[in-house]
Every structure is written in C-alpha cells, then in structure tokens.
C-alpha cells in the first residue's frame, strides 16, 4: 500500500556548466564546480572532456 503525503514541491532546476566525456561509448559527465582540474579527463575512461550546458537540479 502506498501513501501520498500531498503534492510535492517542484525541484528547482537551472542551466549548469558541465564537463562531458568525448568518448561515444562513455556517458560520463561532471558539474564544472565539482572538477578540480581546469580541463579534466573522464574518471571512467580517461578520455578528454568538453564543456557543455545542461538543465540540472540546483545543488546548494
């Protein structure tokens, strides 16, 4: 049995700069603010990453 506690508040979203893996077989990405390097490499496959913008939930 499932209980609903009423209407949920919408999660705020904003355009966010991210680093995305350039390897087509890898889906790795990270938020720009969480990268420690100026031009990071993918932590999953060690390929180059490129900057792009995505609409993501806001993290404080």
């Amino acid at each position: 049995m499932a209980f609903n506690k009423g209407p949920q508040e919408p999660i705020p979203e904003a355009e966010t700069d991210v680093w995305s893996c350039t390897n087509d077989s890898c889906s790795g990405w990270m938020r720009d603010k969480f990268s420690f390097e100026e031009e990071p490499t993918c932590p999953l496959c060690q390929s180059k990453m490129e900057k792009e913008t995505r609409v993501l939930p806001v993290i404080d």
Side-chain angles (χ1 to χ4, degrees):
M1 184 178 242
F3 294 97
N4 187 358
K5 296 182 180 182
Q8 300 290 322
E9 287 188 31
I11 298 172
E13 295 182 335
E15 286 191 3
T16 308
D17 290 332
V18 298
W19 288 100
S20 182
C21 184
T22 57
N23 186 347
D24 291 335
S25 63
C26 180
S27 60
W29 64 274
M30 70 177 86
R31 292 175 188 254
D32 184 39
K33 290 185 178 181
F34 296 138
S35 172
F36 296 116
E37 302 171 18
E38 295 234 357
E39 290 191 26
T41 57
C42 179
L44 303 174
C45 69
Q46 281 66 46
S47 295
K48 290 181 77 175
M49 299 185 89
E50 62 184 18
K51 218 172 210 184
E52 63 180 45
T53 303
R54 294 184 182 187
V55 177
L56 300 171
V58 175
I59 296 179
D60 292 331

